[in-house]
């Protein structure tokens, strides 16, 4: 009869049917996980301090000595106890603008702050507190290039006359 399927066709249709069911289950589980990610919440200062503590086990002490003031003296006072999920690109950009306006830090240092901030947010994504990194597209300020003034051949003898003879 025409409705009768060959064994290979029947096996294929059974496989496709099972695949559809397993995909539906996967999508439901994934959707459920996404809902739970929405519910996770933590203040920036608590998460940043925890991130710093966890980094101690993974990096050299000199690296922690670099990260600590960035987090405790700069990032935490600015972002404070704001919930991680409320921090967005524009707030990260405001941080950079504020640091530039203060004029106490070089653009290169501010760029390092953005890098550390981005690392904190990447960890928050892994742990389910964020879906995307708000610092990812923040432009780091261009580092100023220092121009060195070189003595002219006429200035060299005057310099050497003033220098300590020992050198």
């Amino acid at each position: 009869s025409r409705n009768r399927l060959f064994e290979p066709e029947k096996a294929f249709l059974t496989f496709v049917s099972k695949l559809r069911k397993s995909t539906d289950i996967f999508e439901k589980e994934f959707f459920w996980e996404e809902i739970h990610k929405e519910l996770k919440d933590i203040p920036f200062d608590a998460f940043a301090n925890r991130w710093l503590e966890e980094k101690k086990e993974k990096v050299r002490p000199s690296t922690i000595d670099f990260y600590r003031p960035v987090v405790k003296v700069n990032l935490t006072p600015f972002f404070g106890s704001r919930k991680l999920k409320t921090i967005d690109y524009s707030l990260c950009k405001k941080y950079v603008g504020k640091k530039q306006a203060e004029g106490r830090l070089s653009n290169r240092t501010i760029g390092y702050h953005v890098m550390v901030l981005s690392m904190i947010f990447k960890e928050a994504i892994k742990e389910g507190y964020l879906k995307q990194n708000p610092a990812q597209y923040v432009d780091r300020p261009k580092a100023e290039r220092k121009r060195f003034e070189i003595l002219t051949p006429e200035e060299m003898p005057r310099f050497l006359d003033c220098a300590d003879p020992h050198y």
Side-chain angles (χ1 to χ4, degrees):
S1 82
R2 292 185 155 201
N3 292 338
R4 210 164 156 224
L5 296 173
F6 291 108
E7 286 302 313
E9 290 174 340
K10 193 175 187 180
F12 176 73
L13 291 175
T14 303
F15 170 75
V16 169
S17 174
K18 287 180 181 178
L19 182 62
R20 282 189 181 141
K21 287 177 185 173
S22 67
T23 303
D24 289 344
I25 291 169
F26 172 76
E27 287 173 358
K28 286 175 188 170
E29 286 177 12
F30 182 74
F31 180 73
W32 186 252
E33 286 175 14
E34 288 298 306
I35 290 171
H36 284 293
K37 280 186 181 181
E38 284 293 323
L39 299 177
K40 287 180 90 174
D41 209 359
I42 191 170
F44 177 85
D45 51 3
F47 188 82
N49 288 325
R50 192 178 83 202
W51 174 84
L52 193 59
E53 287 301 313
E54 289 172 1
K55 277 291 181 187
K56 284 182 182 178
E57 300 168 12
K58 299 175 184 174
V59 298
R60 288 181 268 168
S62 60
T63 305
I64 289 298
D65 291 342
F66 170 75
Y67 290 161
R68 186 177 294 112
V70 173
V71 172
K72 298 216 181 257
V73 177
N74 295 285
L75 297 176
T76 299
F78 183 84
F79 293 101
S81 60
R82 280 186 180 94
K83 300 290 185 188
L84 272 179
K85 65 183 179 182
T86 66
I87 298 172
D88 60 2
Y89 166 80
S90 63
L91 188 59
C92 294
K93 203 170 158 185
K94 283 180 189 173
Y95 172 80
V96 171
K98 180 178 186 273
K99 289 299 175 183
Q100 285 180 306
E102 287 174 357
R104 294 182 309 158
L105 301 174
S106 71
N107 282 347
R108 184 175 182 173
T109 300
I110 296 169
Y112 288 139
H113 289 200
V114 173
M115 177 191 73
V116 172
L117 185 61
S118 188
M119 291 168 65
I120 292 169
F121 289 143
K122 282 180 187 176
E123 187 63 29
I125 291 168
K126 290 178 194 173
E127 293 186 26
Y129 293 103
L130 293 174
K131 289 186 177 185
Q132 59 186 9
N133 185 340
Q136 181 177 1
Y137 298 109
V138 173
D139 292 327
R140 295 182 190 177
K142 292 204 180 228
E144 307 93 17
R145 292 201 170 207
K146 294 181 181 177
R147 297 187 61 96
F148 295 99
E149 292 200 24
I150 300 170
L151 296 177
T152 63
E154 296 80 33
E155 294 171 321
M156 190 60 80
R158 283 194 347 218
F159 171 75
L160 292 174
D161 288 341
C162 294
D164 187 344
H166 176 72
Y167 295 106

